Amino acid sequence: MTSRKHGVIVAGVAALTTASLLTLLRASRVGNPQVPEPALPVDLNRYVGLWYELARYDNGFERGLDNVTAEYRVRSDGLLEVINQGWRHGRRRRRISHGKARVVAEQNNKLKVSFFGPFYVGDYWILDRADDYEWAIVGEPSGRYLWLLTRSPDVAGGTRARLIRRAQALGYDTSLLRFTAHHLS
């Protein structure tokens, strides 16, 4: 092998390794190293229904999705049914995830979710919410995930700014937010 070919291969491997490391670092970035405990009680009868994702920390299971919604329904066994949906832009293909959640805190502000079988492994903390349940901020203990949810896909600038300020006040790095587009063709 000539030294020139060897140099090209080494440079290619180095570029690929660097790109892979940057991807891993970005994916493992913690947006809030000290997630606060949820403080407000949650009335599940007011919380259930359809939510639109205003913004999120990007993650593997939602990568590339827009028009994202989450719907919660109370089941007859007391658990919550969870239906998450999103669309891949340009593909006109909807992605749907069905799951269930159970309350694990007396104030109904901490839930455990399951999308795969009988095990409840995901944490779902309702960190803050509007008094009228028109918006909510959802996270989990690691600080790697964050969702800003609203009842409408079209949010006035004041509400958007208030949610961002509130997420910052909770300790989140809002520069990591990925804002969700709605009504894409």
Side-chain angles (χ1 to χ4, degrees), residues 36 57 67 73 97 117 126 133-134 147-149 151 154 172 183:
Y57 278 0
N67 292 319
R73 301 176 188 154
S97 297
I126 304 167
Y133 289 79
E134 287 300 310
W147 293 271
L148 307 182
L149 305 176
R151 292 295 191 176
D154 301 314
Y172 285 90
H183 305 297

Side-chain angles (χ1 to χ4, degrees), residues 1-2 12 46 54 57 62 68 83 91 95 101 107 139 150:
M1 177 181 295
T2 68
R46 295 183 72 193
L54 173 67
Y57 278 0
E62 285 184 287
V68 177
I83 305 166
R91 291 192 182 173
R95 181 171 175 199
Q107 293 191 335
T150 60

